[in-house]
Amino acid sequence: LFGFNPFERETQQETHDAIVECELYFPVGYTVSIEAKMFVLALLRRDPAKRLAAEQALAHPWIINETAADAAPLLNNEKKPVKNVLSEFNA
């Protein structure tokens, strides 16, 4: 969402520990919807049984409400190859 590692800490060991414990953070000063943050959190749960499955992820409100609507004009453009269209898409 931000282009930053949500687990990054001061040292490599601290970063490793944050990944193992699934302790992530969202940087301050960036505007991102609550739905987007909730989607990421649902995918990065430590307990695999509590993570979203692929079908659940595709049905998440952020995917349905945000990306599907934004991607439609790009994917329906018959004048450009899909490779070019996808390179222009910025979720």
Side-chain angles (χ1 to χ4, degrees):
L1 291 176
F2 303 98
F4 300 101
N5 178 352
F7 301 103
E8 188 171 13
R9 301 298 189 268
E10 291 292 320
T11 67
Q12 186 175 4
Q13 183 62 50
E14 290 172 346
T15 299
H16 175 268
D17 294 344
I19 293 168
V20 170
E21 295 300 320
C22 202
E23 295 175 355
L24 65 146
Y25 71 95
F26 296 109
V28 177
Y30 293 87
T31 305
V32 175
S33 69
I34 296 297
E35 291 85 6
K37 291 178 182 179
M38 297 306 294
F39 178 68
V40 170
L41 290 172
L43 293 173
L44 296 177
R45 291 192 176 136
R46 185 174 184 202
D47 182 351
K50 294 182 181 179
R51 286 184 210 140
L52 290 183
E55 286 183 9
Q56 293 170 313
L58 292 173
H60 190 276
W62 183 68
I63 295 295
I64 291 172
N65 297 330
E66 298 292 330
T67 58
D70 292 343
L74 293 172
L75 297 175
N76 293 327
N77 187 339
E78 296 177 12
K79 296 180 182 179
K80 294 183 180 181
V82 172
K83 183 177 179 181
N84 293 351
V85 171
L86 291 177
S87 69
E88 295 173 10
F89 181 65
N90 185 9

